Amino acid sequence: MRIALPSTPKWIIRLVVVTALVGIGAGIGGGLVYLALHAIQHLAFGYSEGTFIDGLLQAPPVNRVVALAVAGVLGGVGWWALRRWGRLQPKHAIVSVESAVGGRRMPWFVTIANAGLQVVIVGLGASIGREVAPRELGALAADWLSDRAGVSARERRILVACGAGAGLAAVYNVPFGGAVFAVEILLAEISFATVLPALASSAIATLVARLVVPANPLYPIEQFPLSPSVVVWAVLAGPVIGLAAIGFVRLMQYAQAIRPKSWGILIVMPLVFTAVGVVSLWFPAILGNGRSLGQLAMTASLPVLLILAITLLKVFATAGTIGAGAAGGTLTPSLAVGAGLGLTIGAAWNLVWPGGAPIAVFALVGAAAFLAVTMRAPLTALLLVMEFTAQGPDMFAPVMLCVAGAVAVGYLFERGRVTGVA
């Protein structure tokens, strides 16, 4: 006697296949971004091994100014053309990931060109994050696959968000952080319908991208031990870091608001980028997406006051880059600024509680708290920083306490701003 087994509905098979393809597409996109970025960096600064900051220090200092000037010209012309085309032909306007999740379709050429410009300017040293490009490419792949598969509007929304998160996971080798980014920030919904495809697509994308993206942590630092000093500091420093992060967010919002809307970008962007290049003659760590500064802070490789100076310059370099009209993210710049700020406050704390903890541990905790406020996503920030640094469970408690304090202050200030109190 045969026992009849229930057949799997076709729509489930379709979603499983599309989710897997979204992960593969996002992984390919993330891998291509990684390869292109490193190729441009090595070409611009003439180094073959080592980190970006190593390449900057090995190359003649004038290369920094020349590279930033070239980035300003290429970025200015490129974004002026894309945005002008978008005004004349609205269907070819640049569509953000958030808008795509909301239902808008992403035009292929414009999206790829916009992502490509971001990779080029970051590779040449522009002070802005690289994470938006792989997110856009992942979302674009999901958008196209959703159309071809004929999924529902809700399924498409989930898949596009998962594609963006998978792109982030692929380029940074952070599968858990990428999945939580999609669920917490883009979808703001925790359910089986969102969590399962987010986890699957980010895992697949990470595995695909590992063909070219190194599996080692983005920030190779020591494993920090838990200590009473760090716990107490995390509780006290959280609100302070939260206030600083609010200031950073508002500065970036102001920069976004004043950026050139038309042909002015052809003049402003080359001038601002060249000025940043000149400043980098003395402070090379302000260039790039912020990884150099983050590494210096989380290893305490330079005197604290020098790292504080670089941190402040990084804030204004990033604001100037956004204000000049560049597209890109603030994830890694925020992490770097938070690390520099945490290191500075931690150095002062070690005077109060001498020998309580290694000074670099405060940079790690501060980076997570600062990033949590700027992203408005405590879980995503927590997981990203822990995956970026491959920290063990000992550091979860102080990081969570600091994140909670920073986000609470951020929430109160933003709420007061909406109601007119702040």
Side-chain angles (χ1 to χ4, degrees):
M1 183 179 64
R2 292 184 178 180
I3 299 176
L5 297 176
S7 61
T8 304
K10 292 183 179 180
W11 66 269
I12 293 181
I13 298 175
R14 178 184 61 192
L15 283 179
V16 169
V17 172
V18 174
T19 299
L21 292 176
V22 166
I24 293 171
I28 294 172
L32 290 175
V33 167
Y34 175 86
L35 290 175
L37 182 68
H38 283 260
I40 293 168
Q41 290 175 341
H42 288 263
L43 179 64
F45 300 102
Y47 68 103
S48 57
E49 296 181 355
T51 63
F52 179 58
I53 189 66
D54 293 331
L56 293 177
L57 296 176
Q58 292 170 17
V62 70
N63 280 26
R64 304 170 204 164
V65 181
V66 173
L68 265 292
V70 171
V73 172
L74 293 177
V77 173
W79 275 306
W80 171 80
L82 286 180
R83 291 165 186 168
R84 176 176 170 79
W85 190 21
R87 286 192 296 269
L88 297 175
Q89 301 288 336
K91 68 178 182 179
H92 295 299
I94 297 172
V95 175
S96 68
V97 169
E98 292 76 12
S99 296
V101 172
R104 292 187 63 186
R105 295 297 188 268
M106 303 182 79
W108 268 85
F109 174 77
V110 171
T111 302
I112 293 174
N114 186 51
L117 285 171
Q118 294 171 49
V119 173
V120 169
I121 67 164
V122 173
L124 291 173
S127 181
I128 199 166
R130 68 181 182 181
E131 72 277 359
V132 173
R135 278 161 33 191
E136 289 179 342
L137 294 178
L140 177 64
D143 185 32
W144 183 82
L145 288 166
S146 298
D147 281 345
R148 295 301 176 274
V151 301
S152 67
R154 171 171 165 74
E155 290 165 347
R156 178 196 170 276
R157 176 174 177 269
I158 292 172
L159 288 169
V160 170
C162 291
L168 176 66
V171 80
Y172 286 128
N173 189 36
V174 286
F176 203 4
V180 175
F181 171 83
V183 173
E184 183 183 22
I185 297 179
L186 297 178
L187 294 171
E189 176 191 340
I190 299 178
S191 65
F192 281 113
T194 60
V195 172
L196 294 182
L199 291 174
S201 57
S202 287
I204 292 170
T206 304
L207 291 173
V208 171
R210 277 193 181 181
L211 295 173
V212 294
V213 177
N216 53 290
L218 187 67
Y219 297 93
I221 61 175
E222 64 176 296
Q223 292 288 313
F224 296 116
L226 180 63
S227 70
S229 174
V230 175
V231 173
V232 175
W233 180 88
V235 173
L236 298 176
V240 178
I241 294 173
L243 288 173
I246 293 167
F248 180 86
V249 169
R250 294 188 179 181
L251 178 61
M252 298 306 133
Q253 290 173 340
Y254 175 74
Q256 180 76 17
I258 64 169
R259 73 177 192 178
K261 300 298 188 293
S262 185
W263 57 267
I265 193 174
L266 298 171
I267 300 173
V268 175
M269 188 172 287
L271 289 177
V272 171
F273 278 34
T274 303
V276 172
V278 171
V279 175
S280 74
L281 293 174
W282 295 274
F283 302 94
I286 68 171
L287 297 186
N289 66 348
R291 182 183 177 186
S292 299
L293 172 57
Q295 183 69 37
L296 290 173
M298 285 190 280
T299 53
S301 301
L302 294 174
V304 173
L305 290 180
L306 179 55
I307 289 180
L308 176 60
I310 297 171
T311 300
L312 295 174
L313 289 171
K314 183 65 177 177
V315 170
F316 291 105
T318 304
T321 301
I322 293 173
T330 58
L331 191 159
T332 38
S334 295
L335 188 150
V337 172
L341 179 62
L343 184 75
T344 304
I345 301 175
W349 177 251
N350 267 356
L351 298 177
V352 178
W353 193 327
I359 189 173
V361 70
F362 302 113
L364 169 74
V365 179
F370 196 92
L371 184 61
V373 177
T374 60
M375 294 186 75
R376 297 182 180 179
L379 292 178
T380 303
L382 169 67
L383 292 171
L384 283 176
V385 171
M386 300 306 274
E387 283 191 297
F388 281 159
T389 59
Q391 287 297 304
D394 279 355
M395 291 311 301
F396 267 95
V399 170
M400 290 167 67
L401 288 170
C402 198
V403 165
V407 172
V409 168
Y411 171 76
L412 291 175
F413 265 76
E414 288 302 310
R415 183 180 179 185
R417 188 181 184 188
V418 171
T419 58
V421 176

